[in-house]
Amino acid sequence: SVPAVPGWDGRTISTQPMSVELIIKIGWNGVESSMDLVNSTILAQNTAGTGNNKKRRGLPADYKAVGCTTISTRVMCIFQADRQGAGETLETMFLQAPMTVQATWSLANMKVEGYEQLYGQLGQAGNTGFQLSCVVDDPNNRCSGLFSTQTSVHLVCQKPMGAQSPVSAYTIANIPIVIKHGWGGTTASMPLLASALTAFTTTGYKVASVYNPPSVTLKGFLSTEIQCHIIMMNTPVNYYFAICDVPFFIKSGWRGSTVDHTQYLNIISAYAAQGWELGGLIDLPDVELDGFTSIKSTIKLIFQAPASENGAGGN
């Protein structure tokens, strides 16, 4: 059941999911694609949103082969109207920052470089009144060394057209995802997420977006950690939040695999009907076999809603 928002004013959150197709070409030197269709879809919808393109073993989970070195994949874009400015025309700013992924010879550890430029651009956008709506991984990457690849991360920032918007200040909470591998599958958890969100949402912050960099740190024989950046934005009021884990299924076929988006999209719609906006979506890297051609994994959804002027916020 959907928890009640304390002091809810009865406003629902208009939500529209939209699937966008991308064509990806795989070559010896990397992967090539274009973000133009995703960007034009964002501009056409004129609402804030988040994106989700699930990956397994470095490739999209929702794809089909359309050639020897070409695949077609789907990006699920989830658009939600801003509760304060529903119906307003938005001005959108697209920012892009290069990232370098460096692996060790065993591939057990991977580190990412480029955060300073990425979040530096976000700070500059915030100083001009733009608010972060979404962080999008670019599917393009190219080999830049024996154990190194280069890619890009896109920031989608928006503000009401022609309005004097207040400065948006951001801080980054790095919450690790703990992964444990076993014979029966792989589990993933975020034991520090709820306490971190409580600390921020009770002191004038809300979730702006989530970024999962492709970093990996070996913690033990069958244990690793990956980073998850929860991007928090300063707000004049506290926020309430709710966390919901939703299973989804990936079915493999002869020329690709498909993802059933129904269950988590239904959960998002149910929460939106009760006044909860989608703050972030985390695709956990857990894996559980569900038959010969199907696996089950988990999406962690973070919902949020503003408290009253003197409301405590939190969970």
Side-chain angles (χ1 to χ4, degrees):
S1 62
V2 178
V5 176
W8 180 41
D9 60 6
R11 296 184 187 180
T12 61
I13 308 297
S14 175
T15 303
Q16 181 179 359
M18 180 168 291
S19 178
V20 181
E21 182 184 29
L22 291 182
I23 300 298
I24 298 177
K25 296 183 178 181
I26 304 171
W28 292 107
N29 196 40
V31 175
E32 294 183 3
S33 185
S34 172
M35 291 291 294
D36 290 347
L37 186 56
V38 174
N39 293 346
S40 61
T41 302
I42 293 172
L43 291 173
Q45 292 304 306
N46 193 41
T47 52
T50 186
N52 182 30
N53 186 3
K54 288 168 277 296
K55 293 182 179 180
R56 289 291 179 269
R57 297 188 179 92
L59 290 175
D62 201 344
Y63 79 96
K64 64 179 179 179
V66 294
C68 294
T69 60
T70 304
I71 63 173
S72 169
T73 183
R74 292 194 301 161
V75 177
M76 180 59 68
C77 299
I78 304 168
F79 297 95
Q80 290 194 321
D82 188 284
R83 70 171 69 240
Q84 300 298 329
E88 289 184 338
T89 301
L90 296 178
E91 182 180 353
T92 301
M93 174 188 292
F94 295 102
L95 302 174
Q96 182 178 349
M99 309 291 284
T100 300
V101 182
Q102 185 74 41
T104 60
W105 66 271
S106 65
L107 302 180
N109 292 280
M110 300 176 67
K111 66 177 183 179
V112 180
E113 300 175 349
Y115 298 135
E116 296 82 2
Q117 183 173 347
L118 174 68
Y119 294 131
Q121 289 190 52
L122 177 59
Q124 294 174 13
N127 288 336
T128 59
F130 279 90
Q131 295 186 5
L132 178 64
S133 293
C134 186
V135 181
V136 183
D137 277 313
D138 196 316
N140 291 305
N141 67 68
R142 66 180 181 85
C143 181
S144 58
L146 183 59
F147 298 109
S148 179
T149 60
Q150 290 188 339
T151 184
S152 297
V153 174
H154 299 256
L155 301 174
V156 181
C157 302
Q158 297 174 314
K159 70 176 183 179
M161 182 74 71
Q164 280 293 107
S165 300
V167 171
S168 299
Y170 298 91
T171 189
I172 312 302
N174 182 20
I175 311 298
I177 300 176
V178 180
I179 304 169
K180 294 184 178 181
H181 307 277
W183 297 111
T186 300
T187 63
S189 62
M190 301 182 70
L192 302 179
L193 178 61
S195 59
L197 289 178
T198 298
F200 279 102
T201 56
T202 57
T203 54
Y205 283 89
K206 73 171 187 176
V207 178
S209 190
V210 174
Y211 170 48
N212 284 107
S215 61
V216 180
T217 303
L218 183 65
K219 290 295 183 179
F221 176 59
L222 294 173
S223 179
T224 57
E225 278 187 4
I226 61 176
Q227 296 182 29
C228 181
H229 293 184
I230 312 296
I231 305 173
M232 309 297 300
M233 187 181 79
N234 190 246
T235 62
V237 297
N238 293 330
Y239 265 70
Y240 296 105
F241 74 90
I243 301 172
C244 184
D245 288 351
V246 185
F248 68 92
F249 296 88
I250 303 172
K251 293 187 177 181
S252 300
W254 180 55
R255 295 179 59 83
S257 61
T258 58
V259 174
D260 184 358
H261 301 269
T262 305
Q263 189 162 354
Y264 77 86
L265 289 178
N266 287 341
I267 293 293
I268 293 172
S269 295
Y271 271 75
Q274 297 297 317
W276 292 98
E277 65 183 57
L278 180 63
L281 184 155
I282 305 169
D283 181 14
L284 294 179
D286 59 328
V287 174
E288 180 183 339
L289 293 178
D290 184 62
F292 292 107
T293 62
S294 178
I295 64 172
K296 183 173 74 171
S297 191
T298 306
I299 286 181
K300 189 178 289 290
L301 304 173
I302 303 174
F303 297 99
Q304 59 189 2
S308 60
E309 185 174 350
N310 297 314
N315 192 1

